[in-house]
Amino acid sequence: MRHHWLLLGACGWVLLILMFVSRFISFRVGDDYGERQGQSSTVGGTKVVKPLSVFNQEKQDPTPSHQASVVPSVADWQAVVEERLELLSTVCKNSSLRNLTHVPISKFVLDRIFVCDKHKILFCQTPKVGNTQWKKVLIVLNGEFTSVEEIPENLVHDHEKNGLPRLSSFTPQEITHRLSTYFKFFIVRDPFERLISAFKDKFVKNPRFEPWYKHDIAPAIIRKYRRSHRESDLAASGLHFEDFVRYLGDAEGRRRMDRQFGEHVIHWVTYAELCAPCEIQYSVVGHHETLERDAPHILRAAGIERLVSYPAIPPGITRYNRTKVERFFSGVGRRDVRRLFARYQGDFRMFGYPSPDFLLN
Ligand SMILES: *[C@@H]1O[C@H](CO)[C@@H](O)[C@H](O)[C@H]1NC(C)=O
Ligand SMILES: *[C@@H]1O[C@H](CO)[C@@H](O)[C@H](O)[C@H]1NC(C)=O
Ligand SMILES: *[C@@H]1O[C@H](CO)[C@@H](O)[C@H](O)[C@H]1NC(C)=O
């Protein structure tokens, strides 16, 4: 009888722990999704992730996104990807956008690019666009871990230990060689939606427990950019999206602050600043909005589709949500939106995102 109750008690604890853990799992859904869904098996000593999940997603998706209602063939998708590269090259030549599109290949850029020598791949990190998943894919390819599931969450971003070197850690000759011969890619999404995601992830939720966003960066931005503030609401209310937009749109004024913020700015500086897409000839630019098709395409194009798959993408999560964008910008003045757009216009043009006229006019 006594054992009976002990067993019941133990079950209760297990349930409680499970509930607790599941809260953290659902926390991550949003930008770093699909961690647990990938199926995998061990083949010949190396773990092979079945490239099923990503493909299944396409067929099961009951509501086709605005891009197309018919899933295009492999050849059609190749054409889509080539068109993107043509557009990028055209916009790079536009001299009136030069300031926003051309960026020297600095150490900052080389720090953003991760290297998989074994399969000759370079991946430029654009945070808030599902990058953690790609990093995991590359860590597995590099051989430090045998499957995506085995990589501890805190190690994904620890580049001393995860076996995923940055391009900046090589000599100039090695860098040039890799830039000119390797398969190179990065992923983009609607630039304003990305900023909203960065704001939510770093200043509202902060699921990775990075206190400096709320304790150092937010107060600095509030002090400089909040229109009316008393000491009391500074501490109490935290960073507002309006403050963040005003800071982002102030190209000149924020320079000194950004130097102080250091690497943390990677979550909101432009794609151009992160990856120098007009200087480096990337092989593919993936779009988050069509990741269900871009992910398998990238794996095919890089010649690794038999070795890994991109973890399953929860339905609907990659879709552009105009309602969300409108909601976040509803408290932001037109002038501030226009300034922000002026600053991020290069990203909109280079990657074919329509200018957000519903916010500008
Ligand atoms: C260059 O960019 C500007 C600003 O977006 C645009 O108005 C202009 O039409 C572009 N020029 C060409 C040749 O595409
Ligand atoms: C480009 O930047 C330079 C220096 O910051 C500035 O003087 C110039 O007006 C900018 N040009 C455009 C088209 O924004
Ligand atoms: C779009 O965003 C709004 C506001 O955040 C949310 O209520 C809605 O569920 C989202 N729609 C989709 C399809 O995710």
Side-chain angles (χ1 to χ4, degrees), residues 76-217:
D76 288 345
W77 204 247
Q78 178 65 32
V80 169
V81 170
E82 278 167 18
E83 265 172 43
R84 286 180 195 160
L85 292 178
E86 271 167 41
L87 174 68
L88 175 59
S89 137
T90 306
V91 177
C92 287
K93 287 180 196 131
N94 184 330
S95 56
S96 64
L97 290 170
R98 222 187 143 73
N99 279 4
L100 299 171
T101 56
H102 285 262
V103 166
I105 305 176
S106 60
K107 171 152 189 316
F108 181 80
V109 170
L110 297 174
D111 277 343
R112 309 277 73 76
I113 300 176
F114 295 106
V115 182
C116 174
D117 269 334
K118 204 165 164 187
H119 298 278
K120 297 190 174 3
I121 298 169
L122 299 180
F123 167 59
C124 183
Q125 184 192 18
T126 49
K128 301 290 145 302
V129 193
N131 279 250
T132 303
Q133 305 300 339
W134 284 110
K135 278 163 89 172
K136 288 182 182 172
V137 165
L138 295 180
I139 289 168
V140 171
L141 284 175
N142 267 351
E144 196 79 4
F145 289 87
T146 50
S147 83
V148 165
E149 292 78 21
E150 271 170 48
I151 308 168
E153 201 58 30
N154 55 349
L155 216 66
V156 179
H157 304 288
D158 183 346
H159 296 279
E160 309 291 316
K161 300 203 187 103
N162 67 12
L164 187 60
R166 296 174 194 268
L167 192 52
S168 55
S169 67
F170 292 83
T171 67
Q173 291 90 332
E174 288 169 335
I175 291 170
T176 308
H177 170 70
R178 281 164 180 72
L179 281 174
S180 53
T181 59
Y182 281 19
F183 178 85
K184 301 172 283 295
F185 77 103
F186 65 102
I187 316 287
V188 295
R189 72 190 290 189
D190 177 88
F192 280 3
E193 226 186 18
R194 169 173 168 255
L195 294 176
I196 289 170
S197 175
F199 175 76
K200 276 167 55 183
D201 191 44
K202 298 304 170 200
F203 300 107
V204 182
K205 291 195 208 144
N206 207 318
R208 279 194 228 280
F209 309 107
E210 302 159 309
W212 46 87
Y213 289 104
K214 283 185 178 175
H215 294 162
D216 303 323
I217 294 179

Side-chain angles (χ1 to χ4, degrees), residues 258-271:
D258 278 0
R259 270 199 297 275
Q260 283 167 3
F261 296 163
E263 285 230 329
H264 303 310
V265 301
I266 62 170
H267 298 282
W268 49 80
V269 299
T270 62
Y271 298 127

Side-chain angles (χ1 to χ4, degrees), residues 57 61-63 65 288-289 292 313-321:
Q57 190 82 36
D61 196 346
T63 44
S65 61
H288 187 253
E289 291 82 358
E292 291 84 350
I313 305 163
I317 205 154
T318 62
R319 207 163 300 149
Y320 175 74
N321 185 340

Side-chain angles (χ1 to χ4, degrees), residues 193 200 315-317 319-328:
E193 226 186 18
K200 276 167 55 183
I317 205 154
R319 207 163 300 149
Y320 175 74
N321 185 340
R322 177 167 155 169
T323 311
K324 183 177 77 188
V325 175
E326 281 173 333
R327 197 164 294 176
F328 269 85

